[in-house]
Amino acid sequence: GENVEQHPSTLSVQEGDSAVIKCTYSDSASNYFPWYKQELGKGPQLIIDIRSNVGEKKDQRIAVTLNKTAKHFSLHITETQPEDSAVYFCADTGKNRDDKIIFGKGTRLHILP
Amino acid sequence: DSGVTQTPKHLITATGQRVTLRCSPRSGDLSVYWYQQSLDQGLQFLIQYYNGEERAKGNILERFSAQQFPDLHSELNLSSLELGDSALYFCASSAAGLYGYTFGSGTRLTVV
């Protein structure tokens, strides 16, 4: 993958509400789409990923959906909690498992009390 | 602890100087990736090594170079430093044939 667009750049949601972050990619050969969460002062941490043979994947309060035809994928966080406040990055890699990962510019998520 | 170790955690140096950042990947991981994170630039891919060989190159400046040693640790060398090189530098590693990678906690470089 060579180009990943991510939006919004900043998102504020009330605690308990849902948050959605969207990304689009350009390389139709891409087949692996991870999401990373970066807390202040730490390195990015993989929170969920999806492969191109799957349309949706869920892990407790987080889910990722993939639309290969439209080349976009989204992160959904339900029942948001204060600890969800962080910067979230979507990413795209090439068709090979060891390919470099190209990141979106990130979304700063604020959970409001 | 992610298993990827980066040293030093913080580095302050003057313009024109040269520094070396070190990364030890997770045990058994053959690939090492270097990223630069500036305030307004997100995570920029610099370079990837796989089992000692350069695999992919991003927008890495000619003043920057890297290598991966036989024990699989990697070093990123930054020379003729400029104020604009101030950033967080992350290393990540991945296992051969597996998706996704693990990041270290980064080195914060400040050039004054």
Side-chain angles (χ1 to χ4, degrees):
Chain A
E2 291 298 330
N3 191 33
V4 181
E5 299 288 332
Q6 180 174 351
H7 58 94
S9 56
T10 305
L11 179 61
S12 296
V13 301
Q14 212 69 40
E15 182 179 346
D17 288 351
S18 296
V20 180
I21 302 169
K22 298 182 179 182
C23 289
T24 59
Y25 63 97
S26 58
D27 187 352
S28 56
S30 298
N31 61 9
Y32 173 68
F33 306 93
W35 285 87
Y36 285 80
K37 174 184 180 182
Q38 186 177 24
E39 296 173 300
L40 199 61
K42 297 184 178 179
Q45 181 182 11
L46 178 68
I47 56 171
I48 195 167
D49 54 18
I50 192 166
R51 304 225 342 237
S52 62
N53 58 349
V54 175
E56 183 174 357
K57 183 177 176 180
K58 191 172 181 181
D59 182 5
Q60 299 183 336
R61 296 186 298 107
I62 59 173
V64 57
T65 58
L66 171 65
N67 183 327
K68 268 219 108 179
T69 303
K71 293 185 191 161
H72 64 71
F73 55 113
S74 301
L75 177 72
H76 304 254
I77 306 175
T78 58
E79 300 171 21
T80 53
Q81 299 171 5
E83 54 266 35
D84 294 331
S85 292
V87 179
Y88 291 81
F89 292 94
C90 65
D92 155 33
T93 188
K95 57 183 179 181
N96 300 313
R97 298 181 185 197
D98 296 328
D99 280 355
K100 65 182 186 290
I101 291 180
I102 301 300
F103 288 87
K105 289 197 178 295
T107 296
R108 185 170 297 277
L109 176 63
H110 299 277
I111 306 301
L112 306 173
Chain B
D1 181 8
S2 68
V4 179
T5 304
Q6 288 189 250
T7 56
K9 290 193 184 306
H10 302 277
L11 198 49
I12 301 176
T13 190
T15 54
Q17 294 298 304
R18 172 189 168 95
V19 297
T20 297
L21 312 183
R22 183 187 168 104
C23 169
S24 294
R26 286 187 319 174
S27 177
D29 285 0
L30 299 180
S31 278
V32 169
Y33 311 78
W34 285 97
Y35 284 80
Q36 180 191 57
Q37 186 175 40
S38 304
L39 265 176
D40 57 350
Q41 292 295 319
L43 286 156
Q44 298 294 315
F45 171 72
L46 295 178
I47 198 164
Q48 175 195 0
Y49 278 83
Y50 178 84
N51 202 20
E53 300 289 328
E54 183 183 302
R55 169 73 69 92
K57 219 167 184 175
N59 296 324
I60 187 167
L61 299 172
E62 284 191 13
R63 301 183 286 108
F64 296 1
S65 65
Q67 55 185 324
Q68 187 178 27
F69 295 86
D71 67 352
L72 300 178
H73 92 271
S74 177
E75 293 181 355
L76 179 66
N77 301 296
L78 315 176
S79 61
S80 303
L81 285 167
E82 302 174 358
L83 296 177
D85 297 328
S86 295
L88 270 167
Y89 290 85
F90 286 104
C91 164
S93 71
S94 70
L98 295 180
Y99 287 103
Y101 36 80
T102 302
F103 280 85
S105 56
T107 293
R108 181 174 293 280
L109 173 67
T110 303
V111 183
V112 297

